[in-house]
Amino acid sequence: AQSVAQPEDQVNVAEGNPLTVKCTYSVSGNPYLFWYVQYPNRGLQFLLKYITGDNLVKGSYGFEAEFNKSQTSFHLKKPSALVSDSALYFCAVRDTGFQKLVFGTGTRLLVSP
Amino acid sequence: DGGITQSPKYLFRKEGQNVTLSCEQNLNHDAMYWYRQDPGQGLRLIYYSQIVNDFQKGDIAEGYSVSREKKESFPLTVTSAQKNPTAFYLCASSTSGRTNTGELFFGEGSRLTVL
């Protein structure tokens, strides 16, 4: 079965510094990978996805993610963090057979002023 | 504006009561989903539907029921058989078929608390 792992429950970074939120995946076949963000008591918002093509994917709000097939990783990155980036981030992979997504457990990002 | 509307946003229930959470979308999406979110566990799929009048169980369907009588609507009933119903429930939709790449569009969620 397809799965993703987010090894960090929380990531702390100072405003203006680069941030990385880690995700590794396990799939059979070619992976369809996604990042979503969730603010408190809100639904999830789509940030970006990797289907095929360039390993560096650019998304919303200045975020990008790097697909690394050899390391089976899809880390989320941003060159300069903002306090408003503080939220819960989910990595997800599309399951085989149907387009439902399998989500990781989430990583809380805390950006300090 | 196009989107997904979930209601109510907050709901309190006494043990032994069934409750129904509403999910309506005007995105003309064929597929709809219900996820449950618990702290530290991410999102777990309850039920999903690819087309009207058809739905499938997800990973944690026990104690839940759904219907899909209209394309726009996918209500979720949390029954008294669900042992730990207190959670945040998220509805989502997507396109379907060969053009779909998996992106889901989410509602704002419904928080259910059992007293």
Side-chain angles (χ1 to χ4, degrees), chain A residues 26-100:
Chain A
S26 175
V27 303
S28 56
N30 295 321
Y32 286 16
L33 296 160
F34 303 81
W35 276 103
Y36 284 82
V37 61
Q38 184 182 36
Y39 297 97
N41 292 311
R42 303 292 298 276
L44 275 66
Q45 297 177 33
F46 171 78
L47 282 178
L48 52 80
K49 65 184 175 186
Y50 172 83
I51 305 299
T52 186
D54 290 341
N55 290 342
L56 186 64
V57 180
K58 293 190 181 297
S60 307
Y61 313 121
F63 284 93
E64 57 190 26
E66 186 172 11
F67 172 71
N68 188 316
K69 188 173 183 178
S70 63
Q71 298 186 4
T72 61
S73 67
F74 188 56
H75 301 332
L76 182 70
K77 301 182 179 186
K78 188 174 183 181
S80 178
L82 300 173
V83 172
S84 57
D85 292 330
S86 298
L88 188 58
Y89 290 81
F90 288 98
C91 182
V93 63
R94 175 174 162 171
D95 204 355
T96 54
F98 183 59
Q99 57 262 34
K100 62 187 176 78

Side-chain angles (χ1 to χ4, degrees), chain A residues 11-17 81-86 109-113:
Chain A
V11 170
N12 298 304
V13 64
E15 188 174 32
N17 284 357
L82 300 173
V83 172
S84 57
D85 292 330
S86 298
L109 174 66
L110 184 60
V111 182
S112 55

Side-chain angles (χ1 to χ4, degrees), chain B residues 1-94:
Chain B
D1 288 351
I4 300 178
T5 301
Q6 289 187 240
S7 62
K9 189 167 179 64
Y10 299 96
L11 183 62
F12 297 90
R13 184 193 97 174
K14 294 181 180 180
E15 284 193 25
Q17 289 181 333
N18 292 354
V19 294
T20 297
L21 307 180
S22 170
C23 179
E24 303 277 333
Q25 55 100 358
N26 60 5
L27 299 168
N28 198 33
H29 285 166
D30 287 315
M32 298 187 73
Y33 315 76
W34 275 104
Y35 284 90
R36 170 180 170 142
Q37 184 178 11
D38 296 281
Q41 296 194 49
L43 277 68
R44 294 180 290 168
L45 184 64
I46 305 173
Y47 268 97
Y48 61 100
S49 168
Q50 298 174 255
I51 196 169
V52 174
N53 292 323
D54 186 50
F55 49 83
Q56 288 79 40
K57 293 182 179 180
D59 301 317
I60 56 165
E62 184 176 352
Y64 299 97
S65 66
V66 294
S67 63
R68 187 83 187 278
E69 297 176 0
K70 298 186 300 181
K71 185 176 185 177
E72 302 79 16
S73 180
F74 192 41
L76 174 73
T77 297
V78 184
T79 75
S80 57
Q82 168 50 233
K83 297 190 184 307
N84 296 296
T86 294
F88 191 53
Y89 291 89
L90 288 159
C91 180
S93 70
S94 73

Side-chain angles (χ1 to χ4, degrees), chain A residues 12-27:
Chain A
N12 298 304
V13 64
E15 188 174 32
N17 284 357
L19 69 88
T20 299
V21 182
K22 296 180 180 178
C23 174
T24 59
Y25 65 88
S26 175
V27 303

